[in-house]
Amino acid sequence: MTGTTGAAWHGGAAAVATLTFDVDAETPILAAGRQYAGHLMTMSHQAYGPDVGVPRILDLLDDLDVPATFFVPGWVAEHRPGLAATIVERGHEVAHHSYSHRAPTSMNAVEQRADFERALEVFDAQGIEITGHRAALWEATQTTLELVAEHGLTYDSSLMGDDRPYLLGVDGRPVAELPVHWSLDDWEQYAFLPAPQIGSVIESPRKVLELWQAELDAMRHYRCLFNLCLHPFLSGRPSRLLALRDLIETAQSRGDVHFARCRDLAAATYADPALERRDPPNVTADPAVYPD
């Protein structure tokens, strides 16, 4: 499988592609309300991701010889104890995606720490090395980044301050940020459930493929990070997975796109002497101007 090498984070490629899969399974629905545990249609809809989608995705990645990163909530790894190991054995990365998939912005600092560390304990018990993190719903707070730095993780992938990797200074420690964006998230294209309502439109995979190919070519023009965020319960469905195959084959045919696991791209980011460290966003909102 290919990676990213060289002094510059992009290793000379026109764009770097990170294929990332958020293996949320039941967690985002349970985070919306534990009463949904008794909704069998809804629970089966979510279980499709790890039980059907992930094996198909792993076969596709093997077939096309590309690496990927799977962001797995600790709850999902705990309830499917062989899942994370299978992903790693196939040559891919497993990364931290909270324990419960509750948004950090909905928790206080004590709750965040407990959730964050509980996930680490699950992966440690399973012998899974964790070097990166993605916040549930991408809703990171300053506490979230502090936990990433405190526990020695090398990167986060939750913020939107650029379309190239950058370095954050967090409590005197560097954290590589691999930025994301809604335009490269399949949730905005395919997510639908009547209750809890998580979307109202199911797009055609052909339309989605056109969008993502346009993003890829524009990012090749500007030498960017094509950080694609997919959910196996969504993109593991047959027509959508074939569209993903088309997208990967298009990127390979360009001849100037490198595929990398997030942990490898983070290492290349640290090694790039041209990248300066930034501070995380620190916005103060005057309550007299912006009331709660």
Side-chain angles (χ1 to χ4, degrees):
M1 292 186 176
T2 56
T4 304
T5 59
W9 69 268
H10 49 75
V16 175
T18 46
L19 303 176
T20 71
F21 298 89
D22 289 7
V23 191
D24 298 340
E26 299 90 349
T27 58
I29 308 305
L30 296 176
R34 67 177 180 272
Q35 71 272 18
Y36 293 113
H39 292 207
L40 298 191
M41 177 276 289
T42 303
M43 290 296 98
S44 65
H45 179 265
Q46 299 304 119
Y48 180 99
D51 298 345
V52 179
V54 167
R56 282 183 180 163
I57 290 165
L58 290 172
D59 287 345
L60 172 67
L61 297 172
D62 279 352
D63 192 29
L64 298 179
D65 192 28
V66 290
T69 298
F70 290 74
F71 290 90
V72 183
W75 187 96
V76 177
E78 188 174 56
H79 284 75
R80 293 173 173 84
L83 178 65
T86 296
I87 292 168
V88 172
E89 288 165 2
R90 300 286 283 269
H92 307 291
E93 174 189 6
V94 169
H96 189 302
H97 193 39
S98 81
Y99 176 81
S100 63
H101 207 277
R102 294 167 60 204
T105 52
S106 72
M107 295 187 282
N108 61 36
V110 173
E111 292 169 331
Q112 274 205 66
R113 176 176 291 277
D115 187 87
F116 192 98
E117 293 181 346
R118 187 172 181 179
L120 288 177
E121 290 167 2
V122 170
F123 292 119
D124 183 62
Q126 294 182 3
I128 304 297
E129 181 184 13
I130 298 294
T131 62
H133 168 267
R134 173 173 285 166
L137 306 177
W138 296 340
E139 293 189 5
T141 69
Q142 183 64 35
T143 296
T144 313
L145 296 180
E146 290 168 358
L147 288 165
V148 170
E150 175 187 335
H151 288 280
L153 304 189
T154 64
Y155 74 86
D156 174 71
S157 184
S158 312
L159 308 185
M160 301 189 183
D162 207 326
D163 40 34
R164 304 176 183 89
Y166 54 100
L167 290 173
L168 292 170
V170 182
D171 285 348
R173 303 180 180 96
V175 173
E177 181 61 38
L178 309 183
V180 291
H181 191 260
W182 303 113
S183 59
L184 292 177
D185 184 356
D186 66 348
W187 193 288
E188 305 311 306
Q189 308 299 327
Y190 299 138
F192 174 82
L193 274 177
Q197 187 175 9
I198 64 171
S200 58
V201 176
I202 300 177
E203 295 286 4
S204 163
R206 293 292 103 189
K207 181 178 179 181
V208 177
L209 177 60
E210 179 183 11
L211 168 66
W212 289 344
Q213 286 179 337
E215 287 290 323
L216 174 67
D217 286 334
M219 288 181 161
R220 289 173 54 240
H221 178 81
Y222 288 102
R223 186 164 268 167
C224 297
L225 167 61
F226 184 84
N227 191 2
L228 187 64
C229 178
L230 305 171
H231 298 78
F233 80 93
L234 297 173
S235 285
R237 296 279 172 179
S239 63
R240 300 166 185 178
L241 198 59
L242 288 182
L244 177 60
R245 173 183 284 273
D246 285 350
L247 177 68
I248 295 171
E249 290 177 337
T250 295
Q252 291 175 322
S253 72
R254 298 293 192 255
D256 56 8
V257 177
H258 286 178
F259 289 87
R261 299 179 302 180
C262 288
R263 70 193 310 166
D264 299 324
L265 179 57
T269 299
Y270 282 104
D272 188 339
L275 292 182
E276 296 182 3
R277 191 176 304 182
R278 309 180 188 180
D279 293 326
N282 183 18
V283 177
T284 300
D286 183 346
V289 179
Y290 298 106
D292 291 336

